[in-house]
Amino acid sequence: MFDPATLKFDAAGLVPAIAQDHSSGEVLMLAWMNAEAVAKTLDTGRVTYWSRSRQAFWVKGETSGHLQHLVEMRVDCDRDCLLVLVRQEGPACHTGRRSCFYTSVRDGDEVEIMAPE
Amino acid sequence: MFDPATLKFDAAGLVPAIAQDHSSGEVLMLAWMNAEAVAKTLDTGRVTYWSRSRQAFWVKGETSGHLQHLVEMRVDCDRDCLLVLVRQEGPACHTGRRSCFYTSVRDGDEVEIMAPE
């Protein structure tokens, strides 16, 4: 039986959660979850983070429509990080790009490798 | 010109760094870097973290031989998280498994989905 309370949360009660596209393998974003966000994500199948800036639950895509549907949740060996495999509707990034990791460091310079959709 | 000092570090001076296998797309682990670890990673091509438990630089694989060779570093939209695409020698996880994310939550239970290599 998986109990979110058994995860190792940081001083703020959070763990980082990496969202990965379940079919392409693309890493989409990293955000944070507290124990209740983990439980909500598992219960609803909609990936739910804890917004550190707003100090509130953040159902990804609730306002934008760019929902993340949970395919599978994984826990790492130290139990202090999660990997969520998702089916992403629309872009994951608030800039309109598929992934938040659209800036690459190449030969010492920053290069944008992905355009808004 | 990319300057590691322009990243948004947390109160401890760290950003989370996700290591992903550059060819398979598998997410291998998450660890932490400070500005100097970012610079060392770029300079040496060997992924170098900051060990929070040891409070020291951690050249991944330096003792185990399971090095991570940097293929590409990416910065996220908020500049507070890194994605490092790597060529991983041997297993990434200290348990001998390819990835640290070998535990899946399925139907409310924890299931081990990957054996040590």
Side-chain angles (χ1 to χ4, degrees), chain A residues 1-9 35 75 78-80, chain B residues 110:
Chain A
M1 185 71 184
F2 171 68
D3 178 358
T6 63
L7 297 173
K8 289 187 189 143
F9 297 96
V75 181
D78 291 332
R79 303 185 71 81
D80 62 1
Chain B
E110 296 191 20

Side-chain angles (χ1 to χ4, degrees), chain B residues 2-16:
Chain B
F2 172 68
D3 179 359
T6 64
L7 297 173
K8 290 187 189 144
F9 297 97
D10 68 11
L14 302 172
V15 288

Side-chain angles (χ1 to χ4, degrees), chain A residues 29-96:
Chain A
M29 58 183 282
L30 179 140
W32 298 80
M33 292 186 186
N34 58 16
E36 201 173 339
V38 174
K40 283 179 187 287
T41 297
L42 290 169
D43 286 351
T44 64
R46 290 183 175 191
V47 179
T48 302
Y49 302 102
W50 178 257
S51 167
R52 295 177 302 170
S53 55
R54 293 189 290 106
Q55 289 287 303
F57 290 107
W58 167 26
V59 180
K60 174 68 183 166
E62 198 175 40
T63 54
S64 66
H66 301 150
L67 291 166
Q68 286 182 342
H69 303 278
L70 181 69
V71 174
E72 186 168 290
M73 181 181 287
R74 295 185 189 164
V75 181
D76 85 338
C77 53
D78 291 332
R79 303 185 71 81
D80 62 1
C81 181
L82 298 174
L83 176 65
V84 285
L85 304 179
V86 305
R87 181 169 62 78
Q88 172 71 50
E89 288 194 48
C93 185
H94 73 287
T95 66

Side-chain angles (χ1 to χ4, degrees), chain B residues 17-70:
Chain B
I18 304 160
Q20 182 180 30
D21 185 294
H22 80 104
S23 62
S24 71
E26 189 172 15
V27 174
L28 300 174
M29 57 182 283
L30 179 142
W32 298 79
M33 291 186 188
N34 57 17
E36 201 174 338
V38 173
K40 282 178 187 285
T41 297
L42 290 168
D43 287 350
T44 64
R46 289 184 176 191
V47 180
T48 302
Y49 302 101
W50 178 258
S51 168
R52 297 178 300 171
S53 55
R54 291 188 292 108
Q55 289 287 304
F57 291 108
W58 167 28
V59 180
K60 175 67 182 169
E62 199 176 39
T63 53
S64 67
H66 302 149
L67 291 166
Q68 286 182 341
H69 302 277
L70 181 69

